[in-house]
Amino acid sequence: MSLSDYPMTILYADDDPEDRMLTQEAFEESKLASNLIFVEDGEELMEYLNHKGKFSDKEKYPKPDLILLDLNMPKKDGRECLKEIKLDDSLKKIPVVVLTTSNDEEDVLKTYNLGVSSFITKPVTFDSMVDIVKSLNQYWFQIVRLPN
């Protein structure tokens, strides 16, 4: 069996329930073999990544192959999380894609300086979101070679 035969785990940190629902539906529409897991803020993201609290079960909450990250979240924003992820030797190799409503050039520059893999502004239509999901899948799980 090849790596592509296993569902990839994608962890999406976003506080907006409508955006999470749209993303879930876009993944379902795309019929991708992926395990999409949601967390609702930056604190939950870091708890998940560090297997703390309700995320302590490593089998139920596996290390993600890709992190989708909203920048503007309560408790701990995406910029803070990105900085922590990239400073942690056990996490820094996980690709992080910012998926946010921001189109601010300063956010783009800051996140790339912090080590983000890609910066994507959230689309306004469902069809555009499906296209982004398909592109993410093709690029990150079919074209790019990721470390084990």
Side-chain angles (χ1 to χ4, degrees):
M1 254 187 193
S2 72
L3 184 62
S4 61
D5 294 330
Y6 296 96
M8 297 291 135
T9 297
I10 300 171
L11 181 59
Y12 186 20
D14 194 323
D15 63 310
D16 187 320
E18 288 181 17
D19 285 347
R20 291 193 307 267
M21 186 180 72
L22 178 75
T23 303
Q24 177 73 47
E25 290 173 359
F27 270 83
E28 289 169 3
E29 178 77 18
S30 302
K31 296 176 177 56
L32 301 178
S34 60
N35 180 21
L36 182 61
I37 299 170
F38 293 99
V39 291
E40 297 182 14
D41 59 53
E43 284 185 4
E44 268 198 356
L45 171 64
M46 298 315 299
E47 286 174 8
Y48 180 103
L49 292 172
N50 292 302
H51 299 290
K52 304 260 175 159
K54 67 182 180 182
F55 302 108
S56 62
D57 184 340
K58 291 182 180 184
E59 295 226 358
K60 187 175 179 184
Y61 303 106
K63 182 176 174 183
D65 298 293
L66 178 71
I67 298 169
L68 298 178
L69 180 63
D70 186 26
L71 290 182
N72 304 308
M73 296 182 291
K75 297 183 182 177
K76 184 180 284 195
D77 76 11
R79 293 162 202 82
E80 293 173 86
C81 293
L82 179 61
K83 189 174 186 179
E84 283 183 42
I85 291 166
K86 294 306 176 181
L87 289 173
D88 186 319
D89 286 339
S90 67
L91 303 174
K92 68 182 179 184
K93 291 181 183 172
I94 302 170
V96 178
V97 174
V98 166
L99 185 59
T100 188
T101 55
S102 174
N103 203 13
D104 183 30
E105 189 65 26
E106 189 173 324
D107 280 337
V108 175
L109 289 171
K110 278 184 180 178
T111 56
Y112 275 112
N113 285 337
L114 290 171
V116 76
S117 302
S118 298
F119 188 104
I120 299 171
T121 301
K122 287 181 185 174
V124 292
T125 68
F126 179 71
D127 288 341
S128 296
M129 187 64 188
V130 170
D131 289 341
I132 285 174
V133 166
K134 287 179 180 177
S135 296
L136 284 170
N137 176 65
Q138 182 177 15
Y139 184 75
W140 287 108
F141 302 129
Q142 295 174 19
I143 296 173
V144 172
R145 181 168 178 204
L146 298 173
N148 292 334

